[in-house]
Amino acid sequence: MEQVAELYRQGYSCQQIASMDGRSAQWISVMLQRAGVPRRHPGGRSSLPEEVREQILDAYKRGEPVPDICARFGVSYTLVYAVADQGGVLRRRGAPRRVDRDQIMRLHEQGWTADAIAVMVGCSAGHVRRVIRERRRSAA
């Protein structure tokens, strides 16, 4: 419990501590309250330690995927982009993904659902439906 309290005193949020500890943010909050740790105003500006901000910025500069950075540091996409912006780093743009439309149609003809096909080819179910609809129209 002392480690949790110390992380909170260093500026980590309950949500960030929870993601590190494998517990819920609510559980962390209750434990802090029971331990008598003075609480910050919820939803206030994050006081993420400068060292962690630098690590996030370095990871972003190295090209680490934003979802991986979020998972590793227990932070939101918004915070990662804010740290990058504050660090003067231009936001990256992902390369457009190419999906194999023929594979989508083969899987559809085999009876797979749009949701299952989306998982298999790495796109949204809406995109799968759009491909199927476009192919049907062009075949008519």
Side-chain angles (χ1 to χ4, degrees), residues 13-52:
S13 70
C14 289
Q15 185 62 50
Q16 291 165 331
I17 297 168
S19 68
M20 291 180 225
D21 195 45
R23 308 224 184 219
S24 72
Q26 183 177 5
W27 186 90
I28 298 295
S29 179
V30 168
M31 292 298 107
L32 290 170
Q33 184 178 15
R34 287 183 184 167
V37 176
R39 301 298 310 277
R40 296 185 301 267
H41 184 273
R45 187 182 182 282
S46 169
S47 56
L48 196 62
E50 191 58 36
E51 176 185 327
V52 175

Short mmCIF file of all heavy atoms in Angstrom, two decimals, residues 13-52:
data_model
loop_
_atom_site.label_atom_id
_atom_site.label_comp_id
_atom_site.label_asym_id
_atom_site.label_seq_id
_atom_site.Cartn_x
_atom_site.Cartn_y
_atom_site.Cartn_z
N SER A 13 -2.01 9.33 -11.42
CA SER A 13 -3.44 9.28 -11.14
C SER A 13 -3.82 7.88 -10.64
O SER A 13 -3.05 6.92 -10.80
CB SER A 13 -4.24 9.58 -12.42
OG SER A 13 -4.12 8.51 -13.33
N CYS A 14 -5.01 7.78 -10.07
CA CYS A 14 -5.50 6.46 -9.62
C CYS A 14 -5.57 5.50 -10.79
O CYS A 14 -5.23 4.32 -10.67
CB CYS A 14 -6.87 6.61 -8.95
SG CYS A 14 -6.81 7.41 -7.34
N GLN A 15 -6.00 6.00 -11.95
CA GLN A 15 -6.11 5.15 -13.15
C GLN A 15 -4.74 4.64 -13.57
O GLN A 15 -4.57 3.47 -13.92
CB GLN A 15 -6.78 5.92 -14.28
CG GLN A 15 -7.03 5.07 -15.52
CD GLN A 15 -7.99 3.94 -15.23
OE1 GLN A 15 -9.05 4.14 -14.66
NE2 GLN A 15 -7.64 2.74 -15.63
N GLN A 16 -3.73 5.50 -13.54
CA GLN A 16 -2.38 5.10 -13.94
C GLN A 16 -1.82 4.07 -12.97
O GLN A 16 -1.22 3.08 -13.39
CB GLN A 16 -1.47 6.32 -13.99
CG GLN A 16 -1.82 7.26 -15.13
CD GLN A 16 -1.17 8.62 -14.97
OE1 GLN A 16 -0.91 9.07 -13.86
NE2 GLN A 16 -0.90 9.26 -16.09
N ILE A 17 -2.04 4.30 -11.68
CA ILE A 17 -1.55 3.34 -10.68
C ILE A 17 -2.28 2.01 -10.84
O ILE A 17 -1.67 0.95 -10.77
CB ILE A 17 -1.75 3.91 -9.25
CG1 ILE A 17 -0.91 5.17 -9.07
CG2 ILE A 17 -1.37 2.86 -8.20
CD1 ILE A 17 -1.23 5.96 -7.82
N ALA A 18 -3.58 2.08 -11.09
CA ALA A 18 -4.37 0.86 -11.27
C ALA A 18 -3.85 0.04 -12.44
O ALA A 18 -3.76 -1.18 -12.37
CB ALA A 18 -5.84 1.22 -11.48
N SER A 19 -3.50 0.70 -13.54
CA SER A 19 -3.01 -0.05 -14.70
C SER A 19 -1.67 -0.70 -14.42
O SER A 19 -1.35 -1.74 -14.95
CB SER A 19 -2.94 0.86 -15.93
OG SER A 19 -1.94 1.82 -15.77
N MET A 20 -0.87 -0.09 -13.53
CA MET A 20 0.42 -0.69 -13.17
C MET A 20 0.23 -1.84 -12.19
O MET A 20 0.97 -2.81 -12.21
CB MET A 20 1.31 0.36 -12.49
CG MET A 20 1.80 1.45 -13.38
SD MET A 20 2.82 2.56 -12.38
CE MET A 20 2.20 4.13 -12.90
N ASP A 21 -0.77 -1.69 -11.32
CA ASP A 21 -0.97 -2.62 -10.21
C ASP A 21 -1.93 -3.76 -10.55
O ASP A 21 -2.03 -4.72 -9.79
CB ASP A 21 -1.50 -1.82 -9.00
CG ASP A 21 -1.41 -2.60 -7.70
OD1 ASP A 21 -0.36 -3.21 -7.47
OD2 ASP A 21 -2.39 -2.60 -6.94
N GLY A 22 -2.65 -3.62 -11.66
CA GLY A 22 -3.60 -4.67 -12.04
C GLY A 22 -4.89 -4.62 -11.23
O GLY A 22 -5.59 -5.62 -11.12
N ARG A 23 -5.19 -3.48 -10.65
CA ARG A 23 -6.41 -3.32 -9.87
C ARG A 23 -7.26 -2.24 -10.52
O ARG A 23 -6.84 -1.59 -11.46
CB ARG A 23 -6.07 -2.89 -8.44
CG ARG A 23 -5.05 -3.81 -7.79
CD ARG A 23 -5.44 -4.11 -6.42
NE ARG A 23 -4.41 -4.92 -5.78
CZ ARG A 23 -4.69 -5.90 -4.99
NH1 ARG A 23 -5.92 -6.19 -4.71
NH2 ARG A 23 -3.72 -6.59 -4.42
N SER A 24 -8.45 -2.02 -9.97
CA SER A 24 -9.30 -0.96 -10.51
C SER A 24 -8.91 0.38 -9.90
O SER A 24 -8.36 0.45 -8.79
CB SER A 24 -10.77 -1.25 -10.20
OG SER A 24 -11.04 -1.05 -8.82
N ALA A 25 -9.22 1.46 -10.62
CA ALA A 25 -8.95 2.80 -10.11
C ALA A 25 -9.77 3.06 -8.85
O ALA A 25 -9.30 3.74 -7.93
CB ALA A 25 -9.27 3.84 -11.18
N GLN A 26 -10.96 2.50 -8.80
CA GLN A 26 -11.80 2.68 -7.62
C GLN A 26 -11.13 2.03 -6.39
O GLN A 26 -11.13 2.59 -5.31
CB GLN A 26 -13.18 2.08 -7.85
CG GLN A 26 -14.12 2.30 -6.69
CD GLN A 26 -15.52 1.76 -6.97
OE1 GLN A 26 -15.77 1.14 -7.99
NE2 GLN A 26 -16.43 2.01 -6.05
N TRP A 27 -10.57 0.84 -6.58
CA TRP A 27 -9.90 0.16 -5.47
C TRP A 27 -8.73 1.01 -4.98
O TRP A 27 -8.54 1.18 -3.78
CB TRP A 27 -9.41 -1.21 -5.92
CG TRP A 27 -8.83 -2.04 -4.81
CD1 TRP A 27 -9.49 -2.91 -4.00
CD2 TRP A 27 -7.46 -2.06 -4.37
NE1 TRP A 27 -8.62 -3.48 -3.09
CE2 TRP A 27 -7.37 -2.97 -3.29
CE3 TRP A 27 -6.30 -1.40 -4.79
CZ2 TRP A 27 -6.18 -3.24 -2.64
CZ3 TRP A 27 -5.11 -1.66 -4.13
CH2 TRP A 27 -5.05 -2.57 -3.07
N ILE A 28 -7.94 1.55 -5.92
CA ILE A 28 -6.80 2.40 -5.55
C ILE A 28 -7.30 3.60 -4.76
O ILE A 28 -6.74 3.96 -3.71
CB ILE A 28 -6.03 2.87 -6.81
CG1 ILE A 28 -5.44 1.67 -7.57
CG2 ILE A 28 -4.97 3.89 -6.45
CD1 ILE A 28 -4.37 0.90 -6.85
N SER A 29 -8.37 4.23 -5.23
CA SER A 29 -8.93 5.40 -4.56
C SER A 29 -9.36 5.08 -3.12
O SER A 29 -9.06 5.84 -2.19
CB SER A 29 -10.13 5.92 -5.37
OG SER A 29 -10.70 7.03 -4.74
N VAL A 30 -10.03 3.95 -2.94
CA VAL A 30 -10.49 3.55 -1.61
C VAL A 30 -9.29 3.30 -0.70
O VAL A 30 -9.27 3.73 0.47
CB VAL A 30 -11.41 2.31 -1.69
CG1 VAL A 30 -11.66 1.71 -0.31
CG2 VAL A 30 -12.72 2.66 -2.36
N MET A 31 -8.27 2.63 -1.19
CA MET A 31 -7.09 2.35 -0.38
C MET A 31 -6.37 3.64 0.02
O MET A 31 -5.90 3.77 1.16
CB MET A 31 -6.12 1.42 -1.12
CG MET A 31 -6.65 0.01 -1.32
SD MET A 31 -6.94 -0.85 0.24
CE MET A 31 -8.71 -0.84 0.31
N LEU A 32 -6.29 4.60 -0.90
CA LEU A 32 -5.66 5.87 -0.58
C LEU A 32 -6.45 6.60 0.50
O LEU A 32 -5.88 7.17 1.43
CB LEU A 32 -5.55 6.75 -1.83
CG LEU A 32 -4.53 6.28 -2.88
CD1 LEU A 32 -4.70 7.07 -4.17
CD2 LEU A 32 -3.11 6.37 -2.36
N GLN A 33 -7.77 6.54 0.38
CA GLN A 33 -8.63 7.19 1.38
C GLN A 33 -8.43 6.54 2.74
O GLN A 33 -8.28 7.23 3.75
CB GLN A 33 -10.09 7.09 0.95
CG GLN A 33 -11.05 7.81 1.86
CD GLN A 33 -12.48 7.72 1.35
OE1 GLN A 33 -12.80 6.90 0.47
NE2 GLN A 33 -13.34 8.55 1.89
N ARG A 34 -8.42 5.20 2.79
CA ARG A 34 -8.23 4.49 4.05
C ARG A 34 -6.87 4.78 4.67
O ARG A 34 -6.72 4.78 5.89
CB ARG A 34 -8.39 2.99 3.84
CG ARG A 34 -9.82 2.56 3.62
CD ARG A 34 -9.92 1.06 3.48
NE ARG A 34 -11.29 0.68 3.18
CZ ARG A 34 -11.65 -0.52 2.77
NH1 ARG A 34 -10.75 -1.47 2.60
NH2 ARG A 34 -12.91 -0.78 2.50
N ALA A 35 -5.88 5.01 3.82
CA ALA A 35 -4.53 5.29 4.32
C ALA A 35 -4.37 6.75 4.72
O ALA A 35 -3.31 7.15 5.21
CB ALA A 35 -3.50 4.92 3.26
N GLY A 36 -5.41 7.55 4.48
CA GLY A 36 -5.36 8.96 4.86
C GLY A 36 -4.50 9.82 3.96
O GLY A 36 -4.04 10.90 4.37
N VAL A 37 -4.29 9.37 2.73
CA VAL A 37 -3.48 10.15 1.77
C VAL A 37 -4.32 11.31 1.26
O VAL A 37 -5.44 11.10 0.78
CB VAL A 37 -3.02 9.26 0.59
CG1 VAL A 37 -2.28 10.07 -0.44
CG2 VAL A 37 -2.18 8.11 1.11
N PRO A 38 -3.82 12.56 1.39
CA PRO A 38 -4.58 13.71 0.88
C PRO A 38 -4.82 13.56 -0.61
O PRO A 38 -3.89 13.22 -1.36
CB PRO A 38 -3.68 14.92 1.17
CG PRO A 38 -2.65 14.43 2.13
CD PRO A 38 -2.56 12.95 1.97
N ARG A 39 -6.04 13.80 -1.05
CA ARG A 39 -6.42 13.58 -2.44
C ARG A 39 -6.36 14.87 -3.25
O ARG A 39 -6.63 15.95 -2.73
CB ARG A 39 -7.85 13.02 -2.50
CG ARG A 39 -8.03 11.68 -1.75
CD ARG A 39 -7.17 10.55 -2.31
NE ARG A 39 -7.29 10.40 -3.73
CZ ARG A 39 -8.27 9.73 -4.33
NH1 ARG A 39 -9.18 9.11 -3.63
NH2 ARG A 39 -8.32 9.65 -5.63
N ARG A 40 -6.00 14.74 -4.51
CA ARG A 40 -6.05 15.85 -5.44
C ARG A 40 -7.46 15.95 -5.98
O ARG A 40 -8.23 15.00 -5.91
CB ARG A 40 -5.08 15.62 -6.59
CG ARG A 40 -3.62 15.57 -6.16
CD ARG A 40 -2.69 15.45 -7.36
NE ARG A 40 -2.95 14.26 -8.17
CZ ARG A 40 -2.32 13.11 -8.02
NH1 ARG A 40 -1.42 12.96 -7.07
NH2 ARG A 40 -2.58 12.09 -8.80
N HIS A 41 -7.77 17.06 -6.59
CA HIS A 41 -9.09 17.23 -7.20
C HIS A 41 -9.20 16.28 -8.38
O HIS A 41 -8.35 16.27 -9.27
CB HIS A 41 -9.28 18.67 -7.68
CG HIS A 41 -10.63 18.94 -8.22
ND1 HIS A 41 -10.95 18.71 -9.53
CD2 HIS A 41 -11.76 19.37 -7.62
CE1 HIS A 41 -12.22 19.01 -9.73
NE2 HIS A 41 -12.73 19.42 -8.58
N PRO A 42 -10.26 15.43 -8.41
CA PRO A 42 -10.38 14.49 -9.54
C PRO A 42 -10.60 15.23 -10.85
O PRO A 42 -11.29 16.24 -10.88
CB PRO A 42 -11.59 13.63 -9.18
CG PRO A 42 -12.33 14.39 -8.14
CD PRO A 42 -11.35 15.31 -7.47
N GLY A 43 -10.00 14.72 -11.89
CA GLY A 43 -10.17 15.32 -13.22
C GLY A 43 -9.30 16.54 -13.42
O GLY A 43 -9.34 17.18 -14.45
N GLY A 44 -8.50 16.86 -12.41
CA GLY A 44 -7.61 18.03 -12.53
C GLY A 44 -6.48 17.72 -13.50
O GLY A 44 -6.30 16.59 -13.94
N ARG A 45 -5.69 18.74 -13.79
CA ARG A 45 -4.58 18.57 -14.71
C ARG A 45 -3.64 17.50 -14.17
O ARG A 45 -3.28 17.49 -13.02
CB ARG A 45 -3.83 19.89 -14.87
CG ARG A 45 -2.77 19.79 -15.95
CD ARG A 45 -2.01 21.10 -16.06
NE ARG A 45 -1.04 21.03 -17.12
CZ ARG A 45 0.13 20.41 -17.01
NH1 ARG A 45 0.45 19.78 -15.93
NH2 ARG A 45 0.98 20.41 -18.01
N SER A 46 -3.26 16.61 -15.04
CA SER A 46 -2.36 15.53 -14.66
C SER A 46 -1.00 16.11 -14.27
O SER A 46 -0.45 16.94 -14.98
CB SER A 46 -2.18 14.56 -15.83
OG SER A 46 -1.14 13.67 -15.58
N SER A 47 -0.51 15.67 -13.15
CA SER A 47 0.84 16.10 -12.75
C SER A 47 1.78 14.92 -12.93
O SER A 47 2.45 14.49 -12.01
CB SER A 47 0.82 16.60 -11.31
OG SER A 47 0.30 15.62 -10.46
N LEU A 48 1.80 14.40 -14.14
CA LEU A 48 2.65 13.27 -14.48
C LEU A 48 4.10 13.68 -14.26
O LEU A 48 4.51 14.76 -14.70
CB LEU A 48 2.41 12.88 -15.94
CG LEU A 48 2.89 11.55 -16.43
CD1 LEU A 48 2.19 10.42 -15.67
CD2 LEU A 48 2.63 11.40 -17.91
N PRO A 49 4.87 12.86 -13.58
CA PRO A 49 6.28 13.23 -13.34
C PRO A 49 7.01 13.54 -14.64
O PRO A 49 6.78 12.89 -15.68
CB PRO A 49 6.85 11.98 -12.67
CG PRO A 49 5.67 11.29 -12.08
CD PRO A 49 4.53 11.58 -13.01
N GLU A 50 7.89 14.52 -14.58
CA GLU A 50 8.63 14.96 -15.77
C GLU A 50 9.42 13.81 -16.38
O GLU A 50 9.51 13.69 -17.59
CB GLU A 50 9.56 16.12 -15.40
CG GLU A 50 10.16 16.79 -16.62
CD GLU A 50 9.12 17.35 -17.59
OE1 GLU A 50 8.07 17.83 -17.14
OE2 GLU A 50 9.38 17.28 -18.81
N GLU A 51 9.96 12.95 -15.54
CA GLU A 51 10.72 11.80 -16.04
C GLU A 51 9.85 10.90 -16.92
O GLU A 51 10.28 10.42 -17.97
CB GLU A 51 11.27 11.01 -14.85
CG GLU A 51 12.00 9.74 -15.25
CD GLU A 51 12.43 8.93 -14.03
OE1 GLU A 51 12.75 9.54 -12.99
OE2 GLU A 51 12.43 7.69 -14.14
N VAL A 52 8.60 10.69 -16.50
CA VAL A 52 7.68 9.85 -17.28
C VAL A 52 7.31 10.56 -18.57
O VAL A 52 7.24 9.93 -19.64
CB VAL A 52 6.43 9.50 -16.45
CG1 VAL A 52 5.43 8.72 -17.28
CG2 VAL A 52 6.83 8.70 -15.22
#
